[in-house]
Amino acid sequence: ARIIFVAHSMGGLVVKKAFILGQNDNQYRHMIASTAAILFLSTPHRGTNLAETLNRILAVSVFNHSPKQYIAELKRNSPALEDINEQFRNIAPSMEIFSFFETQQTAVGPKKMMVLEKDSSILGYPNEVSKPLDADHHNVCKYTSQEDPNYVSVRNALRSILVKVSKLENVTHASSTNELDMSRVQALLAISSSPEEDYEYFQSRRMPGSCEWILRRSEFQDWLAANSGLSRILWLHGVPGCGKSVLSAFIVGRLRDMGHCCQYFFFRFGDKAKRSVNLILRSIAYQIAAQLPELRSQLEKLASDAVRLEKADSRVIWQKVFLSRLFDLPIRQPLYWIIDGLDECESPQLLLSLLLSIPSSRFPLHIVLVGRNTEILSSALQRLEPLVQIDRLAADQTNGDLELFVDQEVQYMRGDRHLKTRVTERVCGMANGNFLWVHIVLKDILRCHTEAAISEVLDELPSELEPLYLRMENTLSRTSKLADRELAKTILMWVICSQRALMLEELSEALEPEFSHILDLQLTISQVCGDFIVIDAGSRVEMVHQTAREFLVKTPSLDHSISLGLGHQLLCRKCISNLSRPIRRTRNDRLGTQTFIHYAATSWPFHLRRSAASKDNSTLLMLAQFFQSGQLFAWISLLASLDHLSTLVYASQALTSYLGKKSRADAESSPLTHKLQEKEILELWAIDLVKIIGKFGAQLVRHPNCIRTLVPSFCPTTSIISQQFRRNRATGSITVTGFSQQHWDDCLSKFLVGRDCQPLKITCMDRHFVILTSDGTLRLFDTNTGQPWHNIVHGERILNFKFSASYERCVTYGFRETKVWLVKGKRQLCSIKNPTHARALDVVFSGHESALISCSDDKSIRRCLLDNSAPEWHVIEGDRHFDSTANKTYNSPRRIAFNALGTQVAVAFRGFPLLVWDVEDSLIIGRCVRDSDRNKNRQDLSSDVGPICWNPLTGHILGLYKDGCIFKWHPLESYSQEVRGVETEIHCSPDGALFLTSDSDGVLKVWNFHHLTTIYQLSCHSPVTDMALSADGRRIYDIRDSFCNIWEPNALIRLAEADEKSSETSSTTEVSTQISMASEGSLELSEPLTALAIGPRTSVYCSGDNVGVVHLGGSNTEAGCRIAKGFMPVEQIVWSGNEDYLATADLGGRLNVRLREPPSDPIAPANYPLLFEAKTGHGLRQILFSSSAEHLFIVTVAFIELWSLERKSMMVTKPNTSPHSRWITHPANANLLMQFTFANVRYWQWSDLAELAHFDFSREPFVTDPRPDGGREHPRRHSSSFPLSPEKDYDAVDEVFVSNAGFRLVLQTSSPSGQRQRTPKYFSLHTDDLPATRDSVQASILAKELPAPIASTAARILGFVKRSPKRPSYSQLGEAMLEPEDVLVFLDYDHWVCSIAFKDDFPEDCEAKKHFFLPQDWLNSDSLRLATVSKCGKFYCPRNGEVAVVDNWLQNEWID
């Protein structure tokens, strides 16, 4: 609904003030946005010359009201009225304004007088409609009838507003669908504020008729025309303060009026966030998506991959959004971009370097760049000019605009026409086109009360800004009190040093308690800070201009000068002091509300890094005290709730930088003054802050308060967060044991890729990483959890594979066929027969994903058009003639790599320099000749090129020579850069900022691409097969032997969270002299565990690893001991019910049975010597001890076997007719074996394996999808169109869980879902429904699906634990109350350990309890497959070859 205000007399002033305040109050902001119009009836906008007259107004409006002192504030042009009018002027353009004024005198006692003149009743705004009413002040709001002319005038005004509102509502309803679609795009691009705010801010400052001079300039007219179909840039430059931003807003409005698709961005020097290249790209992309459905749909697909671009490198955003998507769209009309304040951008060279690729767009881009003509920008534009036409235009035609501005402002000045003319001529004559200078001068003149004072101001006017600033500062110093000067300097310090523009409310809190209870902060600022500070319509407090900030900073002799180092130190201390107090939370405290606590939480690292705090110990002591207090966790929790965990990385960087400065400062002072303990605390926290994000970040965002209780329990015992938590830990808190490594490490995960195949290659997408295995399968894994997503099965060995730029398609190239796949749809799109005698060394998508390009070992380049009904490979004419083009005879190429677009291919031949070939033009672009070979007739063998890769953004090639040296070369340059080394593999990151190398010793290095310096080095004993960097640059993935390792070092997290990476994109002939400050990591990865079993009676556990080592741990053997060493991976470990026997089996089918030997020392661990060893058949499925521990039951794929433990021999063997089943001992009859298949349950005799009976399952219909998002596939069957692998086309029972009380069984089943994936389902059986003997007569057994609270959230059942109920009162005592309570424990899809307690059956409305989550570095498929719980309630999970044991969790329920 839209709102229309009708206000009479002073009520109009109240409405205006309320409207201004409501803009910044979340509780009323929606009401303000819904306001369509305001009708003012005789409102004293400018007051009157006599306060007594205003008292008469009040007397007329309110009976028996005596004059009040506050009425004096409403005198003619009083500061209070001027302030309201100035702020309301910026808001008024967003609504309709009607001002009605009186024309008759009002009776006041025996006399009549004009209460308000016309000039006080109207605002004079461009969009205002003013009309007279034939009434006095008292009756302008009172009408005699509907025919009253005054009533008709007001009614018609309301009617015209309603017509406009109705049309707007229709448009809004039509666009509601688009707004819904834009929500996901907004989340993807992390747009928190509308770009319209900046446009309206500058547009409201434009005078009607100004800026129109640019429309007459030929440069602008040529830029505006779209005839050529080519992109072009207009460089609009001018001096500071000449109105460039207002001119930019005018151009935006003009383009909108013409119906052009226009986007814009205003760089703001006062807001650090609005100076980044990252933000302008996200903002422009958001605006385009709002106007073009084609891009909106593309970005929706990108958003569905859970990509977040808020912290992405600018080059990545440019690649993903603009190059890969926007520029490929078939748009017929050009896009118009207006970029204002280019000189205020943090990295303008980076932004202009990105524009080098706009010629690749399928449609023209018309861009206006606005800013000061600095040498840096001129140089960057010159590099851009060869590719894009650039026109230059100076913003110097502003004299007419200045006169309009001065005329408008002077009309409100007191004095006759002659005085106003003199002021106009003098000001315009000295302005030199500077609007800022004029604005400040006119405000000074309007404050004068006499003509003599105005003349004095005019006579003393300086012609430049800096002398004007000096005059302003001297006036403040001369006229203000000492206390006011201190307040003014504090306010100026906050405005100049703050990370972003503060709101009035934030600034008010920041000034407390030193300056408390300021009655009207806005008025106070205008009085004590003069014209140095402005407050915009959104109540943001900013410097009047960047030049004013520079003046106060660089002039230390001033009373109001600001020292940046000291200012940042004081602000940092203020922020820490604010955070050290308990955070007050109220009912109305909502996330995103602008309060100072939010600024303090996110900005103190910014101030610390720029402060001069290293010169004393006060800041050090304050920081150390804060980091040892309980408020530290409150700070982290607040950051998590604000989704600003990246501040932890900034804080780590700031602490490290500060401690470095502090150490250098301490070197010059006495050692007795050094605060070593405090410095050590901060050093440890600088490490832990980064690790917290990597290992717990995802859970912290969803559950901010877990930092207080759960997170410290999972940190290494030597970490500072764990140490501080243990000192204050409450009794009964969660404990985690089992790790020998008590320090942070960089390994996030390690898992076995496949037992029957070898991993060959690895690559990363946005949401998934992909591993190619030797069996011709691409295995896709989730990057967040490490869990398998799905597989792409080619059907033969894959020689090459590549994903499209959008990651929507994938091509796999085998020996016989090339196949194209739809990644999300998980289906094959087409199959292409490969050439018989050629093997492609690289393949890539081209032509907007409509074609494939390959280059083969027969020196031919081939193209395949995918849009054809029967696509085929065709040799591109001319591209097989490398030899003839170069006048040389080449052998088969050793290495081939296409660039990202498939337009160029790098080819390395033995004995020849690397060359780059243009695919479309069939010519060689360049050769990379090594410096040492330039004067030789023949290239050295050491100069043969090995692995090569392209930088996807800069067009450089990275490679390795045979002697291990690294080189970087651009095809358009003659020389390359080299770095000595012994590297064997190389890989470039998706954003082009980093690259990886590895050597034969398993040492992996991360390099800065621009400087060719090492930033991280990891030493590991196993050699690297392949490696990749994640899309966000935080993680390293590598393949070593049969395993995939995931690394997340602090060095990469800090780099990924940096505001902007290096903007250098050009190649130079010499390596940067920057010193490499590489961090190093060294880790000996343990063999991963492959089997785990928990003792049924105690807390002892037994584990087996990938090389056959069997390890005993738990209970009184916390240190653990090795009890066996084999050669093959351990597949099965089983305890007997009394824990006297232990059986293990390896992949080769070797079975070991061990008998417990009690230790002589009760404290020592038990020994399990070998009882006997046997060889089982292939494909061991299950081992089971009888309840009496007399027999051992073995299940293989082909047979079932019964062994006697006493005789150590096999008693019975039979064929296994149902290999995908699960066996247990009957809960109520220990003499019976139960075999659970997907269709039935069978009874067998334990003593001789005689089959006794079988009973079919009766299942309820499937009513729930096992995943909350419904994303898991439904089971499907084998078909000719989509065949399943033979070994996967079956339904299976994977596990049977028996409750401790024995009343309830839970079956975990699985069914095929395609591409070697399986879908789990869980069913529940009650033991009362199970026949206890073979003689029972029963048709079927009811198998119920688990209740929805479990089925919809459970990712994996862990087992049952026993928990006794609370002790009942005597009146409640009964047999039922004494029964033990069973608890089903499971892992949900968010990796929380959850439980549901029950006595006999699961109630349909049961509610699961959350207890704790698994850290990020515990999440891999191998670990989660083995995770389990003991009956006494301990949780076990393997990690890096050890077993983590979590205790005391069952009684601790997590509640958000």
Side-chain angles (χ1 to χ4, degrees), residues 994-1014:
L994 306 172
F995 67 92
L996 292 171
T997 63
S998 65
D999 62 24
S1000 57
D1001 294 328
V1003 177
L1004 188 149
K1005 296 179 182 178
V1006 183
W1007 299 73
N1008 180 293
F1009 169 80
H1010 304 292
H1011 302 294
L1012 291 185
T1013 52
T1014 310

PDB file of all heavy atoms in Angstrom, residues 994-1014:
ATOM      1  N   LEU A 994      47.741 -17.303  -8.881  1.00  0.00           N
ATOM      2  CA  LEU A 994      48.696 -18.240  -8.290  1.00  0.00           C
ATOM      3  C   LEU A 994      48.946 -19.380  -9.257  1.00  0.00           C
ATOM      4  O   LEU A 994      48.189 -19.613 -10.196  1.00  0.00           O
ATOM      5  CB  LEU A 994      48.144 -18.817  -6.974  1.00  0.00           C
ATOM      6  CG  LEU A 994      47.697 -17.835  -5.892  1.00  0.00           C
ATOM      7  CD1 LEU A 994      46.995 -18.587  -4.768  1.00  0.00           C
ATOM      8  CD2 LEU A 994      48.868 -17.040  -5.356  1.00  0.00           C
ATOM      9  N   PHE A 995      50.035 -20.096  -9.015  1.00  0.00           N
ATOM     10  CA  PHE A 995      50.222 -21.368  -9.706  1.00  0.00           C
ATOM     11  C   PHE A 995      50.966 -22.326  -8.796  1.00  0.00           C
ATOM     12  O   PHE A 995      51.627 -21.921  -7.823  1.00  0.00           O
ATOM     13  CB  PHE A 995      50.924 -21.193 -11.053  1.00  0.00           C
ATOM     14  CG  PHE A 995      52.353 -20.725 -10.990  1.00  0.00           C
ATOM     15  CD1 PHE A 995      53.412 -21.633 -10.947  1.00  0.00           C
ATOM     16  CD2 PHE A 995      52.660 -19.369 -11.003  1.00  0.00           C
ATOM     17  CE1 PHE A 995      54.726 -21.204 -10.911  1.00  0.00           C
ATOM     18  CE2 PHE A 995      53.963 -18.923 -10.972  1.00  0.00           C
ATOM     19  CZ  PHE A 995      55.012 -19.839 -10.922  1.00  0.00           C
ATOM     20  N   LEU A 996      50.813 -23.619  -9.079  1.00  0.00           N
ATOM     21  CA  LEU A 996      51.394 -24.696  -8.288  1.00  0.00           C
ATOM     22  C   LEU A 996      52.503 -25.377  -9.057  1.00  0.00           C
ATOM     23  O   LEU A 996      52.435 -25.511 -10.286  1.00  0.00           O
ATOM     24  CB  LEU A 996      50.336 -25.750  -7.947  1.00  0.00           C
ATOM     25  CG  LEU A 996      49.210 -25.406  -6.995  1.00  0.00           C
ATOM     26  CD1 LEU A 996      48.185 -26.534  -6.990  1.00  0.00           C
ATOM     27  CD2 LEU A 996      49.750 -25.187  -5.604  1.00  0.00           C
ATOM     28  N   THR A 997      53.504 -25.831  -8.321  1.00  0.00           N
ATOM     29  CA  THR A 997      54.521 -26.710  -8.902  1.00  0.00           C
ATOM     30  C   THR A 997      54.791 -27.836  -7.914  1.00  0.00           C
ATOM     31  O   THR A 997      54.546 -27.699  -6.712  1.00  0.00           O
ATOM     32  CB  THR A 997      55.833 -25.972  -9.196  1.00  0.00           C
ATOM     33  OG1 THR A 997      56.397 -25.487  -7.967  1.00  0.00           O
ATOM     34  CG2 THR A 997      55.616 -24.812 -10.152  1.00  0.00           C
ATOM     35  N   SER A 998      55.308 -28.922  -8.425  1.00  0.00           N
ATOM     36  CA  SER A 998      55.738 -30.032  -7.572  1.00  0.00           C
ATOM     37  C   SER A 998      57.003 -30.625  -8.154  1.00  0.00           C
ATOM     38  O   SER A 998      57.278 -30.490  -9.349  1.00  0.00           O
ATOM     39  CB  SER A 998      54.645 -31.095  -7.470  1.00  0.00           C
ATOM     40  OG  SER A 998      54.411 -31.691  -8.738  1.00  0.00           O
ATOM     41  N   ASP A 999      57.779 -31.300  -7.298  1.00  0.00           N
ATOM     42  CA  ASP A 999      58.996 -31.949  -7.770  1.00  0.00           C
ATOM     43  C   ASP A 999      58.935 -33.436  -7.468  1.00  0.00           C
ATOM     44  O   ASP A 999      57.963 -33.939  -6.890  1.00  0.00           O
ATOM     45  CB  ASP A 999      60.242 -31.291  -7.174  1.00  0.00           C
ATOM     46  CG  ASP A 999      60.301 -31.388  -5.651  1.00  0.00           C
ATOM     47  OD1 ASP A 999      59.671 -32.308  -5.088  1.00  0.00           O
ATOM     48  OD2 ASP A 999      60.979 -30.548  -5.030  1.00  0.00           O
ATOM     49  N   SER A1000      59.981 -34.137  -7.827  1.00  0.00           N
ATOM     50  CA  SER A1000      59.990 -35.587  -7.686  1.00  0.00           C
ATOM     51  C   SER A1000      60.076 -36.047  -6.248  1.00  0.00           C
ATOM     52  O   SER A1000      59.822 -37.211  -5.948  1.00  0.00           O
ATOM     53  CB  SER A1000      61.167 -36.174  -8.475  1.00  0.00           C
ATOM     54  OG  SER A1000      62.392 -35.590  -8.032  1.00  0.00           O
ATOM     55  N   ASP A1001      60.436 -35.148  -5.316  1.00  0.00           N
ATOM     56  CA  ASP A1001      60.521 -35.505  -3.895  1.00  0.00           C
ATOM     57  C   ASP A1001      59.213 -35.275  -3.154  1.00  0.00           C
ATOM     58  O   ASP A1001      59.155 -35.417  -1.928  1.00  0.00           O
ATOM     59  CB  ASP A1001      61.629 -34.692  -3.222  1.00  0.00           C
ATOM     60  CG  ASP A1001      63.009 -35.063  -3.759  1.00  0.00           C
ATOM     61  OD1 ASP A1001      63.201 -36.237  -4.116  1.00  0.00           O
ATOM     62  OD2 ASP A1001      63.873 -34.171  -3.821  1.00  0.00           O
ATOM     63  N   GLY A1002      58.168 -34.876  -3.873  1.00  0.00           N
ATOM     64  CA  GLY A1002      56.884 -34.655  -3.236  1.00  0.00           C
ATOM     65  C   GLY A1002      56.714 -33.277  -2.641  1.00  0.00           C
ATOM     66  O   GLY A1002      55.745 -33.031  -1.918  1.00  0.00           O
ATOM     67  N   VAL A1003      57.644 -32.353  -2.941  1.00  0.00           N
ATOM     68  CA  VAL A1003      57.535 -30.981  -2.430  1.00  0.00           C
ATOM     69  C   VAL A1003      56.611 -30.190  -3.347  1.00  0.00           C
ATOM     70  O   VAL A1003      56.835 -30.113  -4.560  1.00  0.00           O
ATOM     71  CB  VAL A1003      58.914 -30.305  -2.352  1.00  0.00           C
ATOM     72  CG1 VAL A1003      58.767 -28.854  -1.893  1.00  0.00           C
ATOM     73  CG2 VAL A1003      59.818 -31.075  -1.398  1.00  0.00           C
ATOM     74  N   LEU A1004      55.605 -29.595  -2.766  1.00  0.00           N
ATOM     75  CA  LEU A1004      54.620 -28.812  -3.509  1.00  0.00           C
ATOM     76  C   LEU A1004      54.783 -27.347  -3.134  1.00  0.00           C
ATOM     77  O   LEU A1004      54.895 -27.009  -1.953  1.00  0.00           O
ATOM     78  CB  LEU A1004      53.220 -29.324  -3.182  1.00  0.00           C
ATOM     79  CG  LEU A1004      52.036 -28.791  -3.978  1.00  0.00           C
ATOM     80  CD1 LEU A1004      50.971 -29.870  -4.087  1.00  0.00           C
ATOM     81  CD2 LEU A1004      51.440 -27.567  -3.314  1.00  0.00           C
ATOM     82  N   LYS A1005      54.778 -26.467  -4.136  1.00  0.00           N
ATOM     83  CA  LYS A1005      54.961 -25.035  -3.894  1.00  0.00           C
ATOM     84  C   LYS A1005      53.818 -24.247  -4.525  1.00  0.00           C
ATOM     85  O   LYS A1005      53.322 -24.607  -5.591  1.00  0.00           O
ATOM     86  CB  LYS A1005      56.289 -24.547  -4.476  1.00  0.00           C
ATOM     87  CG  LYS A1005      57.519 -25.160  -3.838  1.00  0.00           C
ATOM     88  CD  LYS A1005      58.785 -24.649  -4.497  1.00  0.00           C
ATOM     89  CE  LYS A1005      60.026 -25.304  -3.896  1.00  0.00           C
ATOM     90  NZ  LYS A1005      61.264 -24.840  -4.570  1.00  0.00           N
ATOM     91  N   VAL A1006      53.435 -23.172  -3.832  1.00  0.00           N
ATOM     92  CA  VAL A1006      52.461 -22.210  -4.355  1.00  0.00           C
ATOM     93  C   VAL A1006      53.216 -20.932  -4.674  1.00  0.00           C
ATOM     94  O   VAL A1006      53.955 -20.409  -3.837  1.00  0.00           O
ATOM     95  CB  VAL A1006      51.341 -21.926  -3.348  1.00  0.00           C
ATOM     96  CG1 VAL A1006      50.308 -20.977  -3.952  1.00  0.00           C
ATOM     97  CG2 VAL A1006      50.663 -23.225  -2.922  1.00  0.00           C
ATOM     98  N   TRP A1007      53.008 -20.418  -5.900  1.00  0.00           N
ATOM     99  CA  TRP A1007      53.751 -19.264  -6.382  1.00  0.00           C
ATOM    100  C   TRP A1007      52.805 -18.100  -6.662  1.00  0.00           C
ATOM    101  O   TRP A1007      51.659 -18.296  -7.084  1.00  0.00           O
ATOM    102  CB  TRP A1007      54.489 -19.587  -7.687  1.00  0.00           C
ATOM    103  CG  TRP A1007      55.497 -20.691  -7.583  1.00  0.00           C
ATOM    104  CD1 TRP A1007      55.249 -22.026  -7.469  1.00  0.00           C
ATOM    105  CD2 TRP A1007      56.925 -20.559  -7.604  1.00  0.00           C
ATOM    106  NE1 TRP A1007      56.418 -22.736  -7.424  1.00  0.00           N
ATOM    107  CE2 TRP A1007      57.470 -21.853  -7.507  1.00  0.00           C
ATOM    108  CE3 TRP A1007      57.788 -19.466  -7.708  1.00  0.00           C
ATOM    109  CZ2 TRP A1007      58.832 -22.088  -7.505  1.00  0.00           C
ATOM    110  CZ3 TRP A1007      59.151 -19.702  -7.706  1.00  0.00           C
ATOM    111  CH2 TRP A1007      59.672 -20.990  -7.600  1.00  0.00           C
ATOM    112  N   ASN A1008      53.317 -16.881  -6.444  1.00  0.00           N
ATOM    113  CA  ASN A1008      52.642 -15.685  -6.914  1.00  0.00           C
ATOM    114  C   ASN A1008      52.926 -15.535  -8.395  1.00  0.00           C
ATOM    115  O   ASN A1008      54.083 -15.451  -8.805  1.00  0.00           O
ATOM    116  CB  ASN A1008      53.139 -14.457  -6.134  1.00  0.00           C
ATOM    117  CG  ASN A1008      52.469 -13.174  -6.567  1.00  0.00           C
ATOM    118  OD1 ASN A1008      52.671 -12.709  -7.689  1.00  0.00           O
ATOM    119  ND2 ASN A1008      51.695 -12.594  -5.684  1.00  0.00           N
ATOM    120  N   PHE A1009      51.871 -15.489  -9.201  1.00  0.00           N
ATOM    121  CA  PHE A1009      52.064 -15.468 -10.652  1.00  0.00           C
ATOM    122  C   PHE A1009      52.785 -14.205 -11.115  1.00  0.00           C
ATOM    123  O   PHE A1009      53.670 -14.265 -11.975  1.00  0.00           O
ATOM    124  CB  PHE A1009      50.705 -15.578 -11.359  1.00  0.00           C
ATOM    125  CG  PHE A1009      50.768 -15.301 -12.837  1.00  0.00           C
ATOM    126  CD1 PHE A1009      51.207 -16.282 -13.714  1.00  0.00           C
ATOM    127  CD2 PHE A1009      50.399 -14.075 -13.340  1.00  0.00           C
ATOM    128  CE1 PHE A1009      51.278 -16.026 -15.073  1.00  0.00           C
ATOM    129  CE2 PHE A1009      50.462 -13.813 -14.692  1.00  0.00           C
ATOM    130  CZ  PHE A1009      50.905 -14.793 -15.564  1.00  0.00           C
ATOM    131  N   HIS A1010      52.429 -13.056 -10.567  1.00  0.00           N
ATOM    132  CA  HIS A1010      52.948 -11.792 -11.080  1.00  0.00           C
ATOM    133  C   HIS A1010      54.421 -11.591 -10.730  1.00  0.00           C
ATOM    134  O   HIS A1010      55.170 -11.026 -11.515  1.00  0.00           O
ATOM    135  CB  HIS A1010      52.111 -10.635 -10.547  1.00  0.00           C
ATOM    136  CG  HIS A1010      50.665 -10.766 -10.863  1.00  0.00           C
ATOM    137  ND1 HIS A1010      50.175 -10.668 -12.148  1.00  0.00           N
ATOM    138  CD2 HIS A1010      49.583 -11.021 -10.078  1.00  0.00           C
ATOM    139  CE1 HIS A1010      48.864 -10.839 -12.141  1.00  0.00           C
ATOM    140  NE2 HIS A1010      48.482 -11.059 -10.897  1.00  0.00           N
ATOM    141  N   HIS A1011      54.838 -12.068  -9.546  1.00  0.00           N
ATOM    142  CA  HIS A1011      56.211 -11.837  -9.101  1.00  0.00           C
ATOM    143  C   HIS A1011      57.085 -13.077  -9.196  1.00  0.00           C
ATOM    144  O   HIS A1011      58.296 -12.995  -8.953  1.00  0.00           O
ATOM    145  CB  HIS A1011      56.209 -11.325  -7.657  1.00  0.00           C
ATOM    146  CG  HIS A1011      55.414 -10.070  -7.463  1.00  0.00           C
ATOM    147  ND1 HIS A1011      55.779  -8.868  -8.025  1.00  0.00           N
ATOM    148  CD2 HIS A1011      54.263  -9.833  -6.785  1.00  0.00           C
ATOM    149  CE1 HIS A1011      54.896  -7.942  -7.687  1.00  0.00           C
ATOM    150  NE2 HIS A1011      53.960  -8.503  -6.951  1.00  0.00           N
ATOM    151  N   LEU A1012      56.483 -14.225  -9.522  1.00  0.00           N
ATOM    152  CA  LEU A1012      57.232 -15.492  -9.582  1.00  0.00           C
ATOM    153  C   LEU A1012      57.982 -15.745  -8.284  1.00  0.00           C
ATOM    154  O   LEU A1012      59.170 -16.093  -8.274  1.00  0.00           O
ATOM    155  CB  LEU A1012      58.196 -15.499 -10.776  1.00  0.00           C
ATOM    156  CG  LEU A1012      57.553 -15.552 -12.165  1.00  0.00           C
ATOM    157  CD1 LEU A1012      58.628 -15.671 -13.243  1.00  0.00           C
ATOM    158  CD2 LEU A1012      56.571 -16.702 -12.292  1.00  0.00           C
ATOM    159  N   THR A1013      57.316 -15.539  -7.161  1.00  0.00           N
ATOM    160  CA  THR A1013      57.896 -15.798  -5.849  1.00  0.00           C
ATOM    161  C   THR A1013      57.060 -16.837  -5.126  1.00  0.00           C
ATOM    162  O   THR A1013      55.839 -16.916  -5.300  1.00  0.00           O
ATOM    163  CB  THR A1013      57.946 -14.512  -5.002  1.00  0.00           C
ATOM    164  OG1 THR A1013      56.652 -13.914  -4.984  1.00  0.00           O
ATOM    165  CG2 THR A1013      58.948 -13.531  -5.581  1.00  0.00           C
ATOM    166  N   THR A1014      57.704 -17.640  -4.290  1.00  0.00           N
ATOM    167  CA  THR A1014      57.021 -18.687  -3.549  1.00  0.00           C
ATOM    168  C   THR A1014      56.329 -18.094  -2.331  1.00  0.00           C
ATOM    169  O   THR A1014      56.929 -17.310  -1.589  1.00  0.00           O
ATOM    170  CB  THR A1014      58.023 -19.756  -3.073  1.00  0.00           C
ATOM    171  OG1 THR A1014      58.823 -20.159  -4.174  1.00  0.00           O
ATOM    172  CG2 THR A1014      57.304 -20.954  -2.509  1.00  0.00           C
TER     173      THR A1014
END
